[in-house]
Amino acid sequence: MNLPGQPPKQGARSLDPHLRRYAARTAGMTASEIRALFAVASRPEVVSLAGGMPHLAALPLDSLATEVADVVATDGLVALQYGSAQGIPELREQICEVMALEGINAHPDDVVVTVGSQMGLDMVTRIFCDPGDVVLAEGPSYVGALGSFSAYQANVVHVAMDADGLVPQALREAIAAVARAGQRVKFLYTIPNFHNPAGVTLAVERRTEVLEICRENGILVVEDNPYGLLGFDGVTYPALRSTDPDNVVYLGSFSKTFAAGLRVGWVLAPHAVREKLVLAAESATLCPPTFNQLVVSRYLSTHDWKGQIKTYREAYRERRDAAIEALEQHMPLGSTWNKPNGGFYVWLTVPEGIDTKAMLPRAITQRVAYASGTGFYADGLGSRQLRISYCYPTPERIREGVRRLANVIKDELELHETFGPSTPRHLSGPQTPSPDTA
Amino acid sequence: MNLPGQPPKQGARSLDPHLRRYAARTAGMTASEIRALFAVASRPEVVSLAGGMPHLAALPLDSLATEVADVVATDGLVALQYGSAQGIPELREQICEVMALEGINAHPDDVVVTVGSQMGLDMVTRIFCDPGDVVLAEGPSYVGALGSFSAYQANVVHVAMDADGLVPQALREAIAAVARAGQRVKFLYTIPNFHNPAGVTLAVERRTEVLEICRENGILVVEDNPYGLLGFDGVTYPALRSTDPDNVVYLGSFSKTFAAGLRVGWVLAPHAVREKLVLAAESATLCPPTFNQLVVSRYLSTHDWKGQIKTYREAYRERRDAAIEALEQHMPLGSTWNKPNGGFYVWLTVPEGIDTKAMLPRAITQRVAYASGTGFYADGLGSRQLRISYCYPTPERIREGVRRLANVIKDELELHETFGPSTPRHLSGPQTPSPDTA
């Protein structure tokens, strides 16, 4: 197997006749290391613990096919036509019912339908961030969010987490440090539930405190909540938005609770912000696909969508258990990880001296892929961490993947003892995710 | 009828607690005047000549319903899952076949599928334009393009058109003027075929000259071609991209040749640019909807899509004829317009002294809506022009709409003779389109 030791296309880039024409922001756009290895990592014999692809096997495809056909046959002239940039009213009403499960009391007028919540994130950043503005975000944070912040040339300042999520005192200190540096915080970006990639959840007793700190300091909160309904203990936490409607912009998605391939997400925002978001969304895509909105709306009104979420929860809990059991069984001393109560991810810290990015090509040679930690930080940290996604493979494959990963780590430790530590290679700034690492 | 004389929400905006938080670019985001009047303009008794909504009535909904159901039933686990940011390979191959009709010889690797060509435009601007960079564009130009350029704080310098499209000498002069001002042109944005809103087509003998001027001056060409296959005389012009593959970024769309509500468009770009576009698209939406790509791909392989385009062409030609006949019959002296050979639009110049933006509320009171000319210029011009879209209403409604519009103009002329000219109100910068004005 011939694995490149360097990111590809460095040579090709220097031959790009358009190189001097790109915007400054474009310099920060780099492919993730997993993409460089994608052709190999996607081979069937490789267990991918890298991806954020949801497990879809339990979806009722036959009844969905019938409903989708009916949408086209009976409502095709609407489904296939342009719609409003804000999204169709019926779906926005249904979205409010979904959010009610998390204690949110919202009006459909304040909902903007987006092409996945990634577009919501991009639009929020578009309307708020000038180059050099600061966004506070947990460290580590969602790689796709870091990509959007980078695209608008915002600077990310990370705030520490512990097992109970974002640490309020660390948030205070980060705000003070940014102020001392004469910079301006535009918003706190946070994933309170079943964090990507850290797997932790913001403790309920911390939620009010985080909201108060942001209010006191005039900082908007952007709450990203794709996994909130995927709690394994049947617990659904109250959204930050439910407590502070005027200072929280909430991002939601059907990608993990229904189907990612439809790309239907939404933003719930204070009214004035919502107006700006709609204008921004129009310049980005004119309108979200009408067809997909009608399909999601039909699904919500004709299917047992809460039952489907329960099915997903059970599938992911079984996979989480497989991952945790295998970690306990195989990982060498000096490795630590969390046990997530929902969502898709375990965050693993490997023994000292190992660089997870440098190790990745060797892991893929050993037929296991993961997302190394540095991609989840804007500041070069994370070289001792990696993310294990247990969402997509079967439990058997997860166990085998973790076993292989443990062996790779053990081999690294041996090499390390024999030859000393590997030299870490850091990229500057966030890397764009491949869809497999979303 | 109570029509507001001012754009709404001015009062609301000043009460926005988030006002001081917005990015500089957000100040330029304003709703189009038609949106302010939308609740009234969308009443059934109003003939809307404002919208860019395609006429869909001839689509074979029943067979489409069958195909769409089959996509879900047989390929649902792909259709409902994340895909690659670049788009599915099969569709990209089919897109190359579509572009071959315009003389384009392209490789599927260089195609990026986008959420409508609006997203393609937004991504191209994202990777090329820093604040203050200059984009050259025909005057008038597509309002959605002006919205994207504004979102990235690019400055638009308009280049004059005549009946044969963009004037090469005007292009040379614009380039020289920008250079004298010490500014930097990033690209020429052009709609060579059946221009929106001007309705004209770039003469074939000018195409090489425009390409050469851009090459000589190191300026990239962005060719936006949503209407190219909708020529009424059965003529399909060679795309600019077909002559100069290395210096043209081409934007295409299925919105006008199949179905806008699926939001499937594409960018064809030189290879290095394509790589940047994929990274930018990932930060914008992760990936385009897989479902929609499979639906378009299935449609192209199972339906007579060229026959459908012929049906669309005939429907639009009939509507164009209705619009032109009614203009000839009803418009007062001093009005001028072009007769488009394809596409959706007639560009009307009204008699001197009339301000089309100021006239719009009165027109809607008289039950006809249009898009006033200033929205299509970044520099405040266009107050004597308006765009008539003949794409959506029936020929009878078009004739009635033009008759009403002529009466409104005649009333304005009378007022003008009695009280002098109305005071033009100019907005600074482009206005975001409502989907109806796309």
Side-chain angles (χ1 to χ4, degrees), chain B residues 39-63:
Chain B
V40 183
S42 62
R43 288 164 70 146
E45 66 267 29
V46 176
V47 175
S48 179
L49 304 172
M53 291 203 298
H55 164 75
L56 292 180
L59 273 179
L61 295 183
D62 287 339
S63 65

Side-chain angles (χ1 to χ4, degrees), chain B residues 28-92:
Chain B
M29 294 179 186
T30 54
S32 67
E33 70 258 34
I34 193 80
R35 181 200 296 281
L37 306 170
F38 197 76
V40 183
S42 62
R43 288 164 70 146
E45 66 267 29
V46 176
V47 175
S48 179
L49 304 172
M53 291 203 298
H55 164 75
L56 292 180
L59 273 179
L61 295 183
D62 287 339
S63 65
L64 268 178
T66 307
E67 294 296 341
V68 164
D70 196 57
V71 165
V72 174
T74 64
D75 221 3
L77 296 187
V78 173
L80 301 173
Q81 186 58 276
Y82 288 117
S84 85
Q86 189 175 353
I88 61 174
E90 191 186 352
L91 178 61
R92 289 189 276 113

